[in-house]
Amino acid sequence: MTPDEVLSAVVRDEWGRLVALLLGRFRRLDLVEDALADATEAAARRWPGDGVPDDPAAWLHVAARRRVLDRLRAEAMAGRKQPLLVDEAERTTGGGAMADPGGLVEDDRLRLVLLCCHPALAPEVAAALALRLVVGVTTADIARLFLVPEPTMAARITRGKKKIVAAGIPYGVPGADALPDRLATVAQVAYLAFTAGYAPGSGPDLLRADLAGEAVRLVRVTLALRPDEPVLRALLALVLLQHSRRDARVGPDGSLVLLPDQDRSRWHHDEVHEALAVLDGMPPAADPLVESYRLQALIGAAHATAPTAGDTRWDVVCDAYDALARVNPSPAVRLAAAVAVAERDGPEAGLRALDGLDAELPTSHRVPAVRGELLARIGRDAEAVVALDVAIDRCGNDVERAHLAARRDGLTAG
Amino acid sequence: MKRYVVLIAYRPGEWEQASAEERREYFDAHHAFERYVDEHGRRLSSGALCDADTATTVHPGRSDERVVTDGPFVELAEQVGGYYDVELPDLDAAIAAARLMPAAYTVEIRPVMVIEGYESV
């Protein structure tokens, strides 16, 4: 490996641990990230000439620690006193006993995850903080993931760090009674970051699936700290199944390839197998969030295990959607369910299942897009063209719109 | 320990309309909050405020003149009806305490800032 590759690997694998170690020691959220970023820059400059150190993570840790100490010395000289993170030592009378003592380092990383994903932080702030501090994604990449300019994202991260310190969000693990709720918040934050990678942008950058992979890493890191937590297991299965299709979703010309047309040999089958292993033996959950992740993962699994689109077990998919609609009765779920019903019972049944959705999703391009597709399948081409025109008009994404236009043009040409 | 001001918002008139039993529930919830704070930190001060229609506001005027008007500085459906000034270990403790308040309340937790170089007279 070249020095650059070693550095990227150590940043990817060790960033969260290093942030956690430095925070545990100095409790200065404002200094730790900058110091570590400086240390990384120094490594990029020096390792190619000096050679890669025997323990690259330890090198970064020492370099970052030195920078924090320099800053603290400068502050002491200037007589300034900065606020510190509230940590466990001060909380001996607070929020109850620790869930379990565990290893020191793992515990620090769990504290870091919980700190970033605190319910007092807005979800998009929490997601940015967690990607930056726990998995070491650069601010530029987080900005690209969330489709905002980099200075906006930098300001969002700074604001989040300020809120944590000012509001006194603790750097600690809550009692066993409160921990499941906090881990559910972590799961929601990670899933928000994951779906951001698949939310079509308004420009040509249709998928930022490589960045969605960073959210998968956030789930993995957290699950490694709490391996039996159902919400994290169900979420890992779900994101792995969705993410396994990333390469097949985009055609050679950058166009969107829909599920039935995807080259299934390009799916990441190792990820599918891992997800199926996680799902296997996961019983239905009473908790609506866990159950909603589990059911969506089951739907993903039905697609992932069908050798061809024609082999899809639509009965299984429809049953899972019915259950999902009971747990989470949202118009988006009903729309997806209508598509599955059309596959199981035919286009007319699908069209009937769309009834009422226009009122609930009045600006969505997906309802008319699905209606247009189903009408076309039963030869009602004129009506299909009208529906597709509405969809094209509403669609904000270039690649998706091109796909809809091609479908409509195929109907008018025939 | 961190210092927080806990602001209580409620719909005007709710207290006046409350039955004797409902008022007892309000008292019990406040007692639970106060006990929690006393166990985990301490109370510095607190107060229930008269309705916002009794408020008087002093605004910065056009020049140096200040303008006095009738009413609160913002008119909202919910009004600040009371506050607690407390010390607690962290935000989680403040949230846990706020959860004990009467269910009809909207509760805002504001950390109190230390302004370096400022000393109160």
Side-chain angles (χ1 to χ4, degrees), chain B residues 82-104:
Chain B
Y83 77 96
Y84 282 92
D85 185 353
V86 299
E87 276 185 351
L88 284 168
D90 58 40
L91 184 64
D92 282 353
I95 292 172
R99 282 188 203 281
L100 300 171
M101 290 269 200

PDB file of all heavy atoms in Angstrom, chain B residues 82-104:
ATOM      1  N   GLY B  82     -44.444  30.489  33.286  1.00  0.00           N
ATOM      2  CA  GLY B  82     -43.654  30.285  34.492  1.00  0.00           C
ATOM      3  C   GLY B  82     -42.260  29.821  34.140  1.00  0.00           C
ATOM      4  O   GLY B  82     -41.966  29.550  32.967  1.00  0.00           O
ATOM      5  N   TYR B  83     -41.409  29.771  35.146  1.00  0.00           N
ATOM      6  CA  TYR B  83     -40.030  29.354  34.873  1.00  0.00           C
ATOM      7  C   TYR B  83     -39.420  28.722  36.116  1.00  0.00           C
ATOM      8  O   TYR B  83     -39.885  28.962  37.239  1.00  0.00           O
ATOM      9  CB  TYR B  83     -39.190  30.564  34.445  1.00  0.00           C
ATOM     10  CG  TYR B  83     -38.802  31.433  35.608  1.00  0.00           C
ATOM     11  CD1 TYR B  83     -37.554  31.278  36.219  1.00  0.00           C
ATOM     12  CD2 TYR B  83     -39.681  32.372  36.140  1.00  0.00           C
ATOM     13  CE1 TYR B  83     -37.208  32.047  37.322  1.00  0.00           C
ATOM     14  CE2 TYR B  83     -39.348  33.136  37.230  1.00  0.00           C
ATOM     15  CZ  TYR B  83     -38.105  32.971  37.821  1.00  0.00           C
ATOM     16  OH  TYR B  83     -37.770  33.708  38.922  1.00  0.00           O
ATOM     17  N   TYR B  84     -38.427  27.908  35.899  1.00  0.00           N
ATOM     18  CA  TYR B  84     -37.546  27.435  36.964  1.00  0.00           C
ATOM     19  C   TYR B  84     -36.122  27.747  36.553  1.00  0.00           C
ATOM     20  O   TYR B  84     -35.756  27.551  35.392  1.00  0.00           O
ATOM     21  CB  TYR B  84     -37.661  25.921  37.141  1.00  0.00           C
ATOM     22  CG  TYR B  84     -38.879  25.455  37.905  1.00  0.00           C
ATOM     23  CD1 TYR B  84     -40.050  25.116  37.244  1.00  0.00           C
ATOM     24  CD2 TYR B  84     -38.830  25.317  39.291  1.00  0.00           C
ATOM     25  CE1 TYR B  84     -41.162  24.660  37.937  1.00  0.00           C
ATOM     26  CE2 TYR B  84     -39.936  24.865  39.997  1.00  0.00           C
ATOM     27  CZ  TYR B  84     -41.101  24.535  39.316  1.00  0.00           C
ATOM     28  OH  TYR B  84     -42.193  24.081  40.010  1.00  0.00           O
ATOM     29  N   ASP B  85     -35.334  28.229  37.471  1.00  0.00           N
ATOM     30  CA  ASP B  85     -33.900  28.434  37.261  1.00  0.00           C
ATOM     31  C   ASP B  85     -33.214  27.350  38.092  1.00  0.00           C
ATOM     32  O   ASP B  85     -33.367  27.340  39.311  1.00  0.00           O
ATOM     33  CB  ASP B  85     -33.539  29.850  37.753  1.00  0.00           C
ATOM     34  CG  ASP B  85     -32.095  30.218  37.458  1.00  0.00           C
ATOM     35  OD1 ASP B  85     -31.328  29.350  36.988  1.00  0.00           O
ATOM     36  OD2 ASP B  85     -31.741  31.383  37.700  1.00  0.00           O
ATOM     37  N   VAL B  86     -32.548  26.427  37.419  1.00  0.00           N
ATOM     38  CA  VAL B  86     -32.057  25.241  38.141  1.00  0.00           C
ATOM     39  C   VAL B  86     -30.619  24.922  37.768  1.00  0.00           C
ATOM     40  O   VAL B  86     -30.120  25.366  36.732  1.00  0.00           O
ATOM     41  CB  VAL B  86     -32.915  23.987  37.823  1.00  0.00           C
ATOM     42  CG1 VAL B  86     -34.354  24.205  38.245  1.00  0.00           C
ATOM     43  CG2 VAL B  86     -32.827  23.603  36.355  1.00  0.00           C
ATOM     44  N   GLU B  87     -29.966  24.122  38.602  1.00  0.00           N
ATOM     45  CA  GLU B  87     -28.691  23.504  38.248  1.00  0.00           C
ATOM     46  C   GLU B  87     -28.886  22.008  38.187  1.00  0.00           C
ATOM     47  O   GLU B  87     -29.454  21.413  39.106  1.00  0.00           O
ATOM     48  CB  GLU B  87     -27.632  23.836  39.305  1.00  0.00           C
ATOM     49  CG  GLU B  87     -26.970  25.168  39.075  1.00  0.00           C
ATOM     50  CD  GLU B  87     -25.839  25.424  40.061  1.00  0.00           C
ATOM     51  OE1 GLU B  87     -25.679  24.641  41.024  1.00  0.00           O
ATOM     52  OE2 GLU B  87     -25.126  26.412  39.860  1.00  0.00           O
ATOM     53  N   LEU B  88     -28.427  21.404  37.061  1.00  0.00           N
ATOM     54  CA  LEU B  88     -28.532  19.961  36.881  1.00  0.00           C
ATOM     55  C   LEU B  88     -27.261  19.478  36.201  1.00  0.00           C
ATOM     56  O   LEU B  88     -26.549  20.276  35.580  1.00  0.00           O
ATOM     57  CB  LEU B  88     -29.766  19.629  36.030  1.00  0.00           C
ATOM     58  CG  LEU B  88     -31.125  19.718  36.759  1.00  0.00           C
ATOM     59  CD1 LEU B  88     -32.285  19.661  35.785  1.00  0.00           C
ATOM     60  CD2 LEU B  88     -31.246  18.619  37.817  1.00  0.00           C
ATOM     61  N   PRO B  89     -26.990  18.150  36.283  1.00  0.00           N
ATOM     62  CA  PRO B  89     -25.715  17.669  35.738  1.00  0.00           C
ATOM     63  C   PRO B  89     -25.594  17.878  34.225  1.00  0.00           C
ATOM     64  O   PRO B  89     -24.520  18.195  33.729  1.00  0.00           O
ATOM     65  CB  PRO B  89     -25.711  16.186  36.073  1.00  0.00           C
ATOM     66  CG  PRO B  89     -26.746  15.981  37.106  1.00  0.00           C
ATOM     67  CD  PRO B  89     -27.720  17.110  37.008  1.00  0.00           C
ATOM     68  N   ASP B  90     -26.664  17.663  33.480  1.00  0.00           N
ATOM     69  CA  ASP B  90     -26.552  17.749  32.029  1.00  0.00           C
ATOM     70  C   ASP B  90     -27.933  17.835  31.399  1.00  0.00           C
ATOM     71  O   ASP B  90     -28.948  17.813  32.107  1.00  0.00           O
ATOM     72  CB  ASP B  90     -25.770  16.547  31.466  1.00  0.00           C
ATOM     73  CG  ASP B  90     -26.408  15.220  31.838  1.00  0.00           C
ATOM     74  OD1 ASP B  90     -27.637  15.120  31.811  1.00  0.00           O
ATOM     75  OD2 ASP B  90     -25.667  14.271  32.172  1.00  0.00           O
ATOM     76  N   LEU B  91     -27.965  17.908  30.071  1.00  0.00           N
ATOM     77  CA  LEU B  91     -29.239  18.058  29.364  1.00  0.00           C
ATOM     78  C   LEU B  91     -30.157  16.853  29.569  1.00  0.00           C
ATOM     79  O   LEU B  91     -31.373  17.002  29.649  1.00  0.00           O
ATOM     80  CB  LEU B  91     -28.986  18.280  27.863  1.00  0.00           C
ATOM     81  CG  LEU B  91     -30.243  18.557  27.032  1.00  0.00           C
ATOM     82  CD1 LEU B  91     -30.910  19.853  27.446  1.00  0.00           C
ATOM     83  CD2 LEU B  91     -29.914  18.590  25.542  1.00  0.00           C
ATOM     84  N   ASP B  92     -29.568  15.651  29.657  1.00  0.00           N
ATOM     85  CA  ASP B  92     -30.417  14.472  29.863  1.00  0.00           C
ATOM     86  C   ASP B  92     -31.195  14.585  31.174  1.00  0.00           C
ATOM     87  O   ASP B  92     -32.374  14.216  31.236  1.00  0.00           O
ATOM     88  CB  ASP B  92     -29.575  13.192  29.857  1.00  0.00           C
ATOM     89  CG  ASP B  92     -29.194  12.769  28.445  1.00  0.00           C
ATOM     90  OD1 ASP B  92     -29.693  13.396  27.482  1.00  0.00           O
ATOM     91  OD2 ASP B  92     -28.398  11.831  28.294  1.00  0.00           O
ATOM     92  N   ALA B  93     -30.533  15.090  32.198  1.00  0.00           N
ATOM     93  CA  ALA B  93     -31.213  15.268  33.486  1.00  0.00           C
ATOM     94  C   ALA B  93     -32.301  16.337  33.348  1.00  0.00           C
ATOM     95  O   ALA B  93     -33.409  16.194  33.883  1.00  0.00           O
ATOM     96  CB  ALA B  93     -30.202  15.654  34.564  1.00  0.00           C
ATOM     97  N   ALA B  94     -32.001  17.408  32.606  1.00  0.00           N
ATOM     98  CA  ALA B  94     -32.992  18.476  32.431  1.00  0.00           C
ATOM     99  C   ALA B  94     -34.208  17.958  31.655  1.00  0.00           C
ATOM    100  O   ALA B  94     -35.349  18.294  31.970  1.00  0.00           O
ATOM    101  CB  ALA B  94     -32.354  19.656  31.700  1.00  0.00           C
ATOM    102  N   ILE B  95     -33.951  17.108  30.648  1.00  0.00           N
ATOM    103  CA  ILE B  95     -35.063  16.539  29.873  1.00  0.00           C
ATOM    104  C   ILE B  95     -35.882  15.601  30.767  1.00  0.00           C
ATOM    105  O   ILE B  95     -37.118  15.633  30.760  1.00  0.00           O
ATOM    106  CB  ILE B  95     -34.539  15.789  28.633  1.00  0.00           C
ATOM    107  CG1 ILE B  95     -33.933  16.790  27.627  1.00  0.00           C
ATOM    108  CG2 ILE B  95     -35.652  14.989  27.965  1.00  0.00           C
ATOM    109  CD1 ILE B  95     -33.218  16.139  26.449  1.00  0.00           C
ATOM    110  N   ALA B  96     -35.187  14.773  31.550  1.00  0.00           N
ATOM    111  CA  ALA B  96     -35.891  13.848  32.443  1.00  0.00           C
ATOM    112  C   ALA B  96     -36.773  14.631  33.419  1.00  0.00           C
ATOM    113  O   ALA B  96     -37.915  14.241  33.688  1.00  0.00           O
ATOM    114  CB  ALA B  96     -34.883  12.979  33.193  1.00  0.00           C
ATOM    115  N   ALA B  97     -36.267  15.747  33.927  1.00  0.00           N
ATOM    116  CA  ALA B  97     -37.050  16.567  34.856  1.00  0.00           C
ATOM    117  C   ALA B  97     -38.252  17.178  34.128  1.00  0.00           C
ATOM    118  O   ALA B  97     -39.376  17.154  34.641  1.00  0.00           O
ATOM    119  CB  ALA B  97     -36.169  17.654  35.460  1.00  0.00           C
ATOM    120  N   ALA B  98     -38.008  17.699  32.920  1.00  0.00           N
ATOM    121  CA  ALA B  98     -39.075  18.368  32.174  1.00  0.00           C
ATOM    122  C   ALA B  98     -40.213  17.404  31.839  1.00  0.00           C
ATOM    123  O   ALA B  98     -41.371  17.793  31.776  1.00  0.00           O
ATOM    124  CB  ALA B  98     -38.511  18.985  30.891  1.00  0.00           C
ATOM    125  N   ARG B  99     -39.868  16.126  31.634  1.00  0.00           N
ATOM    126  CA  ARG B  99     -40.899  15.120  31.335  1.00  0.00           C
ATOM    127  C   ARG B  99     -41.886  14.969  32.487  1.00  0.00           C
ATOM    128  O   ARG B  99     -42.990  14.466  32.288  1.00  0.00           O
ATOM    129  CB  ARG B  99     -40.238  13.755  31.101  1.00  0.00           C
ATOM    130  CG  ARG B  99     -39.598  13.577  29.750  1.00  0.00           C
ATOM    131  CD  ARG B  99     -39.165  12.103  29.616  1.00  0.00           C
ATOM    132  NE  ARG B  99     -38.120  11.924  28.643  1.00  0.00           N
ATOM    133  CZ  ARG B  99     -38.330  11.882  27.325  1.00  0.00           C
ATOM    134  NH1 ARG B  99     -39.545  12.009  26.856  1.00  0.00           N
ATOM    135  NH2 ARG B  99     -37.320  11.710  26.498  1.00  0.00           N
ATOM    136  N   LEU B 100     -41.478  15.343  33.687  1.00  0.00           N
ATOM    137  CA  LEU B 100     -42.343  15.176  34.863  1.00  0.00           C
ATOM    138  C   LEU B 100     -43.378  16.299  34.983  1.00  0.00           C
ATOM    139  O   LEU B 100     -44.325  16.192  35.745  1.00  0.00           O
ATOM    140  CB  LEU B 100     -41.485  15.131  36.137  1.00  0.00           C
ATOM    141  CG  LEU B 100     -40.463  13.992  36.192  1.00  0.00           C
ATOM    142  CD1 LEU B 100     -39.524  14.170  37.375  1.00  0.00           C
ATOM    143  CD2 LEU B 100     -41.184  12.642  36.286  1.00  0.00           C
ATOM    144  N   MET B 101     -43.208  17.359  34.227  1.00  0.00           N
ATOM    145  CA  MET B 101     -44.108  18.517  34.298  1.00  0.00           C
ATOM    146  C   MET B 101     -45.516  18.136  33.809  1.00  0.00           C
ATOM    147  O   MET B 101     -45.676  17.152  33.092  1.00  0.00           O
ATOM    148  CB  MET B 101     -43.570  19.616  33.386  1.00  0.00           C
ATOM    149  CG  MET B 101     -42.309  20.237  33.918  1.00  0.00           C
ATOM    150  SD  MET B 101     -42.764  21.639  34.917  1.00  0.00           S
ATOM    151  CE  MET B 101     -41.207  22.506  34.893  1.00  0.00           C
ATOM    152  N   PRO B 102     -46.527  18.938  34.137  1.00  0.00           N
ATOM    153  CA  PRO B 102     -47.882  18.644  33.660  1.00  0.00           C
ATOM    154  C   PRO B 102     -47.908  18.446  32.140  1.00  0.00           C
ATOM    155  O   PRO B 102     -47.225  19.154  31.399  1.00  0.00           O
ATOM    156  CB  PRO B 102     -48.669  19.900  34.060  1.00  0.00           C
ATOM    157  CG  PRO B 102     -47.952  20.419  35.252  1.00  0.00           C
ATOM    158  CD  PRO B 102     -46.498  20.114  35.019  1.00  0.00           C
ATOM    159  N   ALA B 103     -48.695  17.465  31.718  1.00  0.00           N
ATOM    160  CA  ALA B 103     -48.680  17.057  30.308  1.00  0.00           C
ATOM    161  C   ALA B 103     -49.128  18.173  29.369  1.00  0.00           C
ATOM    162  O   ALA B 103     -48.770  18.178  28.194  1.00  0.00           O
ATOM    163  CB  ALA B 103     -49.574  15.827  30.131  1.00  0.00           C
ATOM    164  N   ALA B 104     -49.893  19.135  29.875  1.00  0.00           N
ATOM    165  CA  ALA B 104     -50.397  20.202  29.005  1.00  0.00           C
ATOM    166  C   ALA B 104     -49.311  21.222  28.658  1.00  0.00           C
ATOM    167  O   ALA B 104     -49.486  22.011  27.728  1.00  0.00           O
ATOM    168  CB  ALA B 104     -51.568  20.918  29.682  1.00  0.00           C
TER     169      ALA B 104
END
